[in-house]
Amino acid sequence: MSAAMRMRPLPAGLAPRAGRFILPRQALRPSVERQALQASIRRSYATEAPKAPISPVSKPPKKRFRFFRGLWRATYLSVLVGGAYLAYSIYETRYPQEQVEPDPTKKTLVVLGTGWGSVALLKKLDTENYNVIVISPRNFFLFTPLLPSCPTGTVEHRSIMEPFRHIIRHKKGTVKFYEADATKIDHERRVVIVSDNSDIKGDIHQTEVPFDYLVVGVGAENATFGIPGVKEHACFLKEIGDAQKIRKKVMDCIETAMFKDQTPGEKERLLHMVVVGGGPTGVEFAAELQDFFEDDLRKWVPDIADSFHVTLVEALPNVLPMFSKTLIEYTEKTLNEEKISLRTKTMVKKVTDKTIEAEVTMPDGSKQYQVLPYGCLVWATGNAVRPVVRDLMSQIPAQKNSRRGLAVNEYLVVDGTDGIWALGDCSATKYAPTAQVASQQGAFLARLFNNMAKTQNLEQELKHLEEIKAESKVQEDQEAIDKEIAKKSKAIRKVKTLSPFEYTHQGSLAYIGMERAVADISWWNGNVASGGSLTYLFWRSAYLSMCFSTRNRILVALDWMKVKIFGRDVSRY
């Protein structure tokens, strides 16, 4: 008998004897009670389960995939925060606040141009302090670093255009805008003569805009260096209209080359695309054009596979002269891998409607005259002074020795004038005429004008305190006023201490084709030079972050995604 049976009380009618159960005599007879008793005993033993053995204490299982769960939570939180910020940015863009109306007692600040310098100025300028007027022949800001991507359809042109009225509508103070050409600046009378450049002419075609302060940021036009035929036959790449013209010309050359019974020689000429200029614009456009051919044109127009050809012409010994030697060599190697003909030390002397005549410096130093037939010629080199700037320079004796643009001092004030500033490509400084320089100059002028307004307000308050002090007879009041005057005077000295403009180079980027890019970035006290596919991703992310608005960033990202999925459009538009 088990220990469990011994410990359990016996049912009624049972008596233990010598290890056995003895039933009463009457219980031996089969009966219903006996069967019930046996069933009760069986149930009693069945419900008595043996106790489980006590196992040693085990450690809890280790948590698995803890890192991935944390990463997922961080990603999820980042998406939520990013989505909320994006929604707020879109809402803020769509629904601007009410603006302060112009105050006739404040000074008038006229800004010419809607380029990098002018937009950077307006972005940081407190427009409540001035009556601001902007004059420009185009009513949008153009993100020029992505302009070489437009003719091939990698990026749509409207994706890199920000309507200028969107920009000025988000300022606290009202800004007036006139879409017109500034034809003349009379600095003695302090007026700007403007002409309506729209196709629909109103009753007033020309008028004058007076100013107290003037900022000239009209940029520069394409330089032809006096080479015959460039202006008549070449396509430039500086404005949206230029990109559209190049697109039509390239597709016209392809479709004409495919015309029935076209001669082989003419077909080869039509499919030869020449880009003059080895700077970032020329290199990027040549790379984009070759990508367009390799990724899309070869597929949809297979007959041009053996004839389409891109040539890059540069007068200097190397392309991208602002980059390091290592990156220049990497760029030239990549261009050769892409089958882009690179012609350095080649100076264009004459352009006709079908050929380029150039002087080539051979390795031994000798000169050789060559003729290159072409179908489409893109001129992407050099800046020239605009007529309105040249006219202003002729009025000012201090500008007679300046050739590249308006000579300015360390505060960007035009030499020989008072109250006139110049920035960007229309000014002659020791810095290269780039968008990065113009943008920093605009931010500098915004700080300067904001400080000027603060100084004027503090001087008015100081004058008012001096008047109160003169009328006051109480000694204690005069002492309090003296303390306030000293405080205002100190604030004026602090505001007036604005350092001269100094350019800080942030680096240079360029796309070189085959989803590769080069970057020469300033980092701490040195530079970081890199090139390749990872640099290409950095190039894209950098340009995406530099786009003016959330709207532009979304449109450009969608354009890149569309090209990756569907390819570029090969239609003529």
Side-chain angles (χ1 to χ4, degrees), residues 291-340:
D291 286 349
F292 185 31
F293 166 69
E294 294 290 345
D295 297 340
D296 301 282
L297 291 175
R298 181 191 291 272
K299 182 189 305 179
W300 304 114
V301 194
D303 293 339
I304 70 172
D306 298 328
S307 303
F308 191 89
H309 190 53
V310 179
T311 298
L312 181 62
V313 177
E314 171 56 44
L316 297 176
N318 305 104
V319 297
L320 301 180
M322 69 288 298
F323 285 78
S324 64
K325 183 179 179 181
T326 304
L327 293 181
I328 291 174
E329 294 175 352
Y330 177 77
T331 300
E332 293 179 349
K333 177 183 176 182
T334 303
L335 294 177
N336 290 328
E337 290 177 0
E338 292 181 85
K339 300 179 182 179
I340 296 176

Side-chain angles (χ1 to χ4, degrees), residues 57-359:
V57 179
S58 60
K59 296 182 180 179
K62 294 183 179 180
K63 295 183 178 179
R64 303 176 65 183
F65 307 111
R66 180 180 297 176
F67 170 77
F68 294 103
R69 282 198 295 270
L71 181 63
W72 163 249
R73 290 168 184 167
T75 304
Y76 183 72
L77 183 60
S78 301
V79 170
L80 288 180
V81 174
Y85 175 76
L86 179 62
Y88 174 75
S89 300
I90 295 174
Y91 176 83
E92 190 179 34
T93 302
R94 290 279 292 160
Y95 302 100
Q97 298 178 355
E98 293 296 325
Q99 294 180 300
V100 178
E101 292 299 321
D103 186 354
T105 62
K106 295 180 180 179
K107 294 186 179 297
T108 299
L109 170 61
V110 175
V111 181
L112 303 182
T114 53
W116 283 91
S118 301
V119 169
L121 164 64
L122 291 167
K123 189 175 182 180
K124 296 184 178 297
L125 178 67
D126 188 354
T127 55
E128 292 181 289
N129 296 323
Y130 302 94
N131 296 321
V132 183
I133 300 174
V134 181
I135 301 169
S136 176
R138 67 183 191 191
N139 66 346
F140 57 88
F141 166 71
L142 179 64
F143 188 74
T144 51
L146 289 178
L147 186 60
S149 301
C150 287
T152 60
T154 306
V155 174
E156 296 296 333
H157 65 277
R158 291 205 173 273
S159 299
I160 59 173
M161 296 165 57
E162 177 68 16
F164 193 73
R165 294 192 180 275
H166 286 188
I167 299 173
I168 61 178
R169 182 60 183 83
H170 287 83
K171 301 301 295 181
K172 292 182 179 180
T174 302
V175 178
K176 291 184 179 180
F177 174 75
Y178 301 127
E179 188 182 59
D181 288 314
T183 57
K184 186 178 180 61
I185 300 171
D186 193 334
H187 76 285
E188 293 183 351
R189 296 175 50 224
R190 307 192 76 77
V191 296
V192 179
I193 300 174
V194 299
S195 299
D196 185 6
N197 67 343
S198 64
D199 295 334
I200 300 176
K201 304 299 181 183
D203 294 337
I204 299 176
H205 175 65
Q206 192 175 74
T207 187
E208 295 181 351
V209 179
F211 65 85
D212 296 304
Y213 302 131
L214 176 66
V215 176
V216 184
V218 296
E221 60 184 15
N222 298 285
T224 62
F225 305 103
I227 300 173
V230 173
K231 190 173 183 181
E232 294 80 7
H233 305 297
C235 297
F236 301 102
L237 189 54
K238 210 172 186 67
E239 300 289 344
I240 285 295
D242 298 334
Q244 294 173 329
K245 182 180 178 181
I246 293 172
R247 170 72 179 200
K248 292 178 181 178
K249 188 69 177 287
V250 169
M251 296 312 300
D252 277 345
C253 288
I254 292 173
E255 298 299 342
T256 305
M258 295 297 98
F259 194 69
K260 186 177 183 296
D261 299 330
Q262 193 67 267
T263 62
E266 183 67 5
K267 179 179 179 180
E268 186 175 353
R269 179 189 72 82
L270 289 168
L271 295 177
H272 185 203
M273 311 298 166
V274 178
V275 182
V276 178
T281 301
V283 170
E284 288 186 345
F285 176 69
E288 289 279 3
L289 193 57
Q290 187 66 22
D291 286 349
F292 185 31
F293 166 69
E294 294 290 345
D295 297 340
D296 301 282
L297 291 175
R298 181 191 291 272
K299 182 189 305 179
W300 304 114
V301 194
D303 293 339
I304 70 172
D306 298 328
S307 303
F308 191 89
H309 190 53
V310 179
T311 298
L312 181 62
V313 177
E314 171 56 44
L316 297 176
N318 305 104
V319 297
L320 301 180
M322 69 288 298
F323 285 78
S324 64
K325 183 179 179 181
T326 304
L327 293 181
I328 291 174
E329 294 175 352
Y330 177 77
T331 300
E332 293 179 349
K333 177 183 176 182
T334 303
L335 294 177
N336 290 328
E337 290 177 0
E338 292 181 85
K339 300 179 182 179
I340 296 176
S341 297
L342 182 58
R343 289 176 171 263
T344 56
K345 299 182 181 180
T346 302
M347 186 173 294
V348 178
K349 294 294 185 179
K350 185 180 178 181
V351 176
T352 67
D353 60 339
K354 293 183 179 181
T355 61
I356 297 172
E357 300 177 12
E359 184 182 73

Side-chain angles (χ1 to χ4, degrees), residues 110 112 185 214-218 389 392 406 414 420-424 426:
V110 175
L112 303 182
I185 300 171
L214 176 66
V215 176
V216 184
V218 296
V389 175
L392 178 60
L406 291 166
V414 177
I420 300 179
W421 291 261
L423 76 170
C426 68

